[in-house]
Amino acid sequence: MSVQERRERDRAHRHQLIVATARELAEASGWDAVTTRRLAERIEYSQPVLYSHFGGKREIVGAVALEGFAELGTALRGAVADVPAGPAAVAAVARAYVDFAERNPALYDAMFLLDTGLLFADAASPAPLRDAFQALLDPLADVLGEDADPGLFAEVFWSALHGLVALTRSGRLPREAADRRLDILVPRFTTG
């Protein structure tokens, strides 16, 4: 291995260490606890090393969010892998989305609530965002009517799921009725 290859490998390792540590700290103590000073202490590198990888916290949160979108896409695709197309797949993807949000609250916040500088709904959107959206859209495509706009349909479905997640997490909707809410929501999106 050349010196240059070793440097690139070490740089990639530090980059991933920063992202993993930020995510771990956020899940344990919330995003307010994630500061460049605290990250530098945790990874045992100086703050200038952090800034050589990221311009600041916003970029770190964005890198965490990108990981999250890749994981969400995988979770959504996995949820429908062995499910027949149609309403059952829509129900499976809805439950997978809600489960993902519940299991990863700080990650979900990075993806959907915090300023990341990531561009959504644009040709220049990073691939993990487009892929996760496509994983949500694909099961819905099988239940759409002829004249439906698949992208808008998926956006409304996503918005409904996000609203249920946000209202449940904030305590405004009782958690014990979360499954029943999905049972009400999904049929509305499977009648095309």
Side-chain angles (χ1 to χ4, degrees):
M1 174 181 298
S2 73
V3 172
Q4 181 63 27
E5 289 171 330
R6 188 174 323 117
R7 283 185 183 146
E8 288 173 13
R9 183 196 64 201
D10 291 347
R11 181 168 176 75
H13 173 74
R14 276 192 312 273
H15 180 94
Q16 185 54 42
L17 179 62
I18 294 166
V19 172
T21 304
R23 183 174 171 175
E24 184 180 291
L25 187 56
E27 289 294 352
S29 304
W31 280 104
D32 287 341
V34 180
T35 63
T36 54
R37 174 175 285 163
R38 189 169 285 146
L39 282 173
E41 290 170 0
R42 289 265 174 118
I43 65 170
E44 299 178 347
Y45 284 99
S46 67
Q47 283 183 298
V49 170
L50 280 168
Y51 287 114
S52 74
H53 288 269
F54 298 99
K57 181 177 175 177
R58 178 183 185 213
E59 288 182 17
I60 294 169
V61 174
V64 170
L66 284 176
E67 276 190 358
F69 283 109
E71 292 173 22
L72 177 61
T74 299
L76 297 179
R77 289 190 198 294
V80 299
D82 297 324
V83 177
V90 175
V93 83
R95 291 195 190 286
Y97 183 96
V98 171
D99 290 346
F100 178 88
E102 287 178 3
R103 283 191 322 272
N104 305 287
L107 179 60
Y108 189 84
D109 288 350
M111 295 164 64
F112 296 112
L113 301 177
L114 300 177
D115 180 15
T116 61
L118 297 174
L119 192 59
F120 282 79
D122 189 274
S125 297
L129 275 71
R130 292 191 318 269
D131 293 344
F133 185 76
Q134 191 67 45
L136 186 66
L137 187 143
D138 287 344
L140 292 168
D142 294 320
V143 299
L144 292 179
E146 293 281 324
D147 53 348
D149 180 325
L152 288 177
F153 195 83
E155 287 173 354
V156 172
F157 184 64
W158 170 28
S159 298
L161 291 174
H162 176 72
L164 288 174
V165 166
L167 292 169
T168 302
R169 280 182 59 195
S170 68
R172 286 166 176 81
L173 294 177
R175 187 168 302 280
E176 57 272 5
D179 286 339
R180 290 195 344 253
R181 283 188 205 94
L182 285 179
D183 291 341
I184 292 168
L185 174 70
V186 169
R188 304 302 185 265
F189 284 88
T190 57
T191 56

